[in-house]
Amino acid sequence: MTVPIQELLSHAETRRQIQKVSDRIRYLLRNHSRWNSTQVISSAYLLYKVRVSQHPFSASYQDFEETEMRIPSEIWQGIQTQISAAEWEELQTLLPQYAPDIFAGVIFLQTEEERGPVSLERLAQAILQCSAGESVADLYCGDSSFSLCTSLVSPESQFTGYEIDEQKVLIARIQAEFLERDIEICIQDPFETGGENQKYFDKIFSNLRYEVKWRENHERVSPWEWVQRICERLKTNGKAVVILRSGSVWNSWDMEKRKNLLQKGWIECVIVMPERLLPYTDVSTVMLVLSQGHTKVRFVDASRMCQTGRRKNELTAENIQQILRAMETDGTDSLSVGMAELEKEAYSLNIDTYRMITKEVLNGVPLEMVTESIRRGAMISARKMDVLMTEKRTDIQYLSTGHLQDGVVEGDIPFLTEEAEEYARFFLQDQDLILSKNASIIKSAVVPVREGQKILVNGNFYIIRLKKDRIHPYFLQAFFESEQGEQILKYIAE
């Protein structure tokens, strides 16, 4: 089965048709019970199987047990729990209406919508570099998107997925069989096996961001216990990538567990991931890279290394390369921290804890020595601004962050009525330095003000009035926009 799935889903008209068929399957299933994504995928899989068989326009429920359909027994057993004979009778009315590729598209459209972009898996794949003959585990694999993606570029690696949700296992098996990927998918908690049955792997991927377990006495199991177990499942010279909620890298109750792993040299790198990479959640996550023999930890702030979308963000190929480069050298978004500093900071793995430790300002002086004042711009409500705005040219203009581009003021700055005089204390003087309040996107400018001109700055800026006999405004602006200056501003803000 070599249907070009990515090509199908990327073609707008074909995708609309696939979505239409998906909706029709849901409608037919509603006549019998509440549908779920596993039922939709199972239905599409059966419809595809019939359409490419010797009798493409009809099949009885019993026909699926015959060898001609070539449905693996473990998949058919799972589908029987999802699709009844009565439901199949209605579903097969779709057979003459659509080509096999459309049914194939439904199998993958459903998981794409729920899972979101696979760029997270592609980053893990780029870090792990799975090669021929290596054993690769996907722990709590869900629909096994990591193994599927990675097996396409590393087909000679040996993949094993572990998942406790039987519906997700069925989806993973359907997609793996469809793509002709040799992936063993086990319905099993990967951490409950041991002794002689314990398996060890060259590479491991695990997304633990949602996995929360409780012992029988209702005591919470720390995600770092799982990280420890993942380390124990690695072969010598093995490597693992684990995704965790960001809160677990600095909280006090997990400190001893982090300390244990750090002192044993297991933590190679901590990558702060962008938000909204995953659908239906804004949970902040980090990616841990685990391997043996480390006396330092590399930190990478990849929180802004993404392509921003309306509902979710995505890592582009360029972003992935940017992250890989940051893993190799210090820079604006990366730094390396030794064990002495980690111990001093209670083994926190929060990058912001160490940003100011790594660099000192050479021959620096306190900012207060070169400033007359620092104040925030005017906080004015939208309703009030509607009253103050005017299309007539006046002496008063209003400056917001949208007017700053590449360190200078650009565009037409709107005019305000004389009523804005009540905010005179927020008017700029010539060559005041303004700095954006939001440190995630730092903007600054030295603003020239003509005689008779009045510029009101909004509350998204700080107004820095300098002692010009001690520092040139453009020098300070250049420092704020430098790699070191940006690092300091982000540290202060966060």
Side-chain angles (χ1 to χ4, degrees), residues 12 44 109 117 123-124 126-127 159 192 216 230 237 295 317 347 358 401 422 436 440 467 480:
L109 175 68
L123 172 60
I127 293 171
F159 294 91
E192 289 184 356
E216 291 182 3
I230 287 170
N237 300 322
T295 58
Y347 300 97
T358 56
T401 52
E422 65 178 287
S436 60
S440 63
K467 296 176 180 177
F480 284 156

Side-chain angles (χ1 to χ4, degrees), residues 35 45 55 61 82 93 103 132 147 152 167 198 208 217 229 340 366 376 398 402 409 421 423 473 477 484:
W35 63 271
Y45 175 77
H55 305 284
Y61 198 67
Q82 301 296 316
T93 61
F103 296 125
S147 295
L152 293 172
Q167 291 193 10
Q198 184 88 298
L208 296 178
N217 61 0
R229 294 180 189 181
R376 190 172 174 182
Y398 182 68
V409 178
E421 288 283 358
Y423 299 101
Q477 183 194 8
Q484 188 175 6

Side-chain angles (χ1 to χ4, degrees), residues 100-139:
D101 287 3
I102 300 302
F103 296 125
V106 174
I107 296 172
F108 292 88
L109 175 68
Q110 191 73 28
T111 50
E112 181 194 82
E113 290 176 342
E114 295 182 2
R115 180 180 62 231
V118 295
S119 54
L120 200 61
E121 285 88 345
R122 289 189 181 127
L123 172 60
Q125 171 188 313
I127 293 171
L128 291 173
Q129 291 292 303
C130 303
S131 57
E134 287 189 324
S135 55
V136 184
D138 188 355
L139 309 184

Side-chain angles (χ1 to χ4, degrees), residues 40 126-127 204 221 224 274 302 311 319 325 360 364 388 427 438:
V40 174
I127 293 171
I204 294 176
V221 177
W224 289 95
R311 294 184 178 178
N319 294 143
R325 288 193 296 270
E360 295 181 0
L388 295 177
F427 289 171
N438 183 359

